[in-house]
Amino acid sequence: MKDYDLTEVEVSSFAILTRAIRRVGTLTRPDLSRVTGLSRTLVSKYIDLALSLDLLEEGELGVSTGGRAPQLLNFNPSAGTLLISELGASGLSVAISDLSGNLSHVQSFSTEISLGPQLVLGQVESAFDAIIKEFKIKNIWGVGIGLPGPVEFAAGIPMSPPIMPGWDRYPVRRRFEDKYNAPVWVDNDVNLMALGELVTFPEKKSDELIYIKIGSGIGAGILTHGRLHRGAQGCAGDIGHIAISEKTDLICRCGNVGCLESIAGGIALARDALEAISDGKSKFLTLRKKTNKIVTAQDVIEGAKSGDKWCVDAINNVGNQVGRILATLVNFHNPSLIVIGGRVAAAGDQLLASIRETVFRRSLPLATRDLEIRLGVNDEFVGLKGAAEMVISELFEPDFLKQWINSGKPTQSHSHEN
Ligand SMILES: [Zn+2]
């Protein structure tokens, strides 16, 4: 390709132009000039660049408004390919994404995150390699990885993740950069689920979103102006370890006492269920334990749905405890939408009702005037979609774009000022 050698200001303008094209999909030169506020001459120069990068394709002629009909320009999502993976406590998924976030070749496997990074990331790479080989994937523009624990986003490394022995400070980004010669972004699963909701429901309300995941633990992803708020180190939203009780007999997996997730998370539900069985308080759970030998949070959810009193109370308690923290977040952050996801969210309307009741009772009237609280989209791959969105938005961030645009393709060497 031609060497365009854009200046920093020009890269920012080009970033605005590519964002407009990605959002709308199809535009004409006059449209682009109007949407971006750039002169016709500059728009022409950037369109030439986008065409030479295959980011744009010339389409048919559009509607004439008198004079020559303008040529339609289409965003070409196949210009680059992304490798996407999401890891959970007991499974992983991989997929390929185009530059519009359309996933393909989605595959899921059972694994145990506690087996450590060498083995588990080896499984991710084998899955990627098989897809790359079978479908002759070329032009890898980026890799997105979701992990079930805290991640220092700027460095792409997990930080003291409680359920991931051997992963602390493991260089996840570096490993994938070296292997695929592409830039890599790593984030925690809850942030990616929040992004996944945003791209699934790209409505105005989603721009100010708090996503709460209630799984074995509890975490939150926070969107503001449609972008993730990660905080200084990337651990914003780690609400599972906010102290809600002074009781010292409930030791959390983080080592502290009285954390939200040690009282209202899935692990806590399973622990309390065992106690309820030994105290003879739940017929449903006693029967479950007899049949399955073990009892899980899922049993409590099913017990509540079948009307077992102890289980109903336990789910209400989760709703109340989570709701109390959410009420504080609502006053502090003023979201327009709260989405409840994670496995415990399978408790459905009953959980939602008790969360709603607590949040609306304890938050400021102004903060709840237009607040919507709902369950997450029923899509097991919402985190994968979010991971693709993370890579796409980072690739086209002006600061990152300026590192790769003049060479025509993002590679490892452009990665994060390494
Ligand atoms: Zn804790």
Side-chain angles (χ1 to χ4, degrees), residues 241 252 254 259:
H241 304 285
C252 182
C254 74
C259 296

PDB file of all heavy atoms in Angstrom, residues 241 252 254 259, ligand 1:
ATOM      1  N   HIS A 241     -16.499  -8.181  47.279  1.00  0.00           N
ATOM      2  CA  HIS A 241     -15.737  -8.136  48.530  1.00  0.00           C
ATOM      3  C   HIS A 241     -15.995  -6.859  49.321  1.00  0.00           C
ATOM      4  O   HIS A 241     -15.187  -6.455  50.156  1.00  0.00           O
ATOM      5  CB  HIS A 241     -14.254  -8.369  48.248  1.00  0.00           C
ATOM      6  CG  HIS A 241     -14.048  -9.660  47.512  1.00  0.00           C
ATOM      7  ND1 HIS A 241     -14.138 -10.897  48.130  1.00  0.00           N
ATOM      8  CD2 HIS A 241     -13.896  -9.920  46.193  1.00  0.00           C
ATOM      9  CE1 HIS A 241     -14.014 -11.840  47.236  1.00  0.00           C
ATOM     10  NE2 HIS A 241     -13.861 -11.288  46.039  1.00  0.00           N
ATOM     11  N   CYS A 252     -14.427 -15.213  53.811  1.00  0.00           N
ATOM     12  CA  CYS A 252     -14.533 -15.181  52.357  1.00  0.00           C
ATOM     13  C   CYS A 252     -13.292 -15.831  51.743  1.00  0.00           C
ATOM     14  O   CYS A 252     -12.244 -15.927  52.374  1.00  0.00           O
ATOM     15  CB  CYS A 252     -14.660 -13.722  51.921  1.00  0.00           C
ATOM     16  SG  CYS A 252     -14.844 -13.515  50.151  1.00  0.00           S
ATOM     17  N   CYS A 254     -11.422 -14.528  49.788  1.00  0.00           N
ATOM     18  CA  CYS A 254     -10.366 -13.516  49.705  1.00  0.00           C
ATOM     19  C   CYS A 254      -9.604 -13.406  51.019  1.00  0.00           C
ATOM     20  O   CYS A 254      -8.591 -12.718  51.109  1.00  0.00           O
ATOM     21  CB  CYS A 254     -10.941 -12.151  49.323  1.00  0.00           C
ATOM     22  SG  CYS A 254     -11.832 -11.337  50.661  1.00  0.00           S
ATOM     23  N   CYS A 259     -17.768 -10.460  53.529  1.00  0.00           N
ATOM     24  CA  CYS A 259     -17.899  -9.939  52.155  1.00  0.00           C
ATOM     25  C   CYS A 259     -19.269 -10.306  51.570  1.00  0.00           C
ATOM     26  O   CYS A 259     -19.833 -11.355  51.913  1.00  0.00           O
ATOM     27  CB  CYS A 259     -16.844 -10.539  51.241  1.00  0.00           C
ATOM     28  SG  CYS A 259     -15.163 -10.107  51.678  1.00  0.00           S
TER      29      CYS A 259
HETATM   30 ZN    ZN B   1     -14.054 -11.353  50.051  1.00  0.00          ZN
END
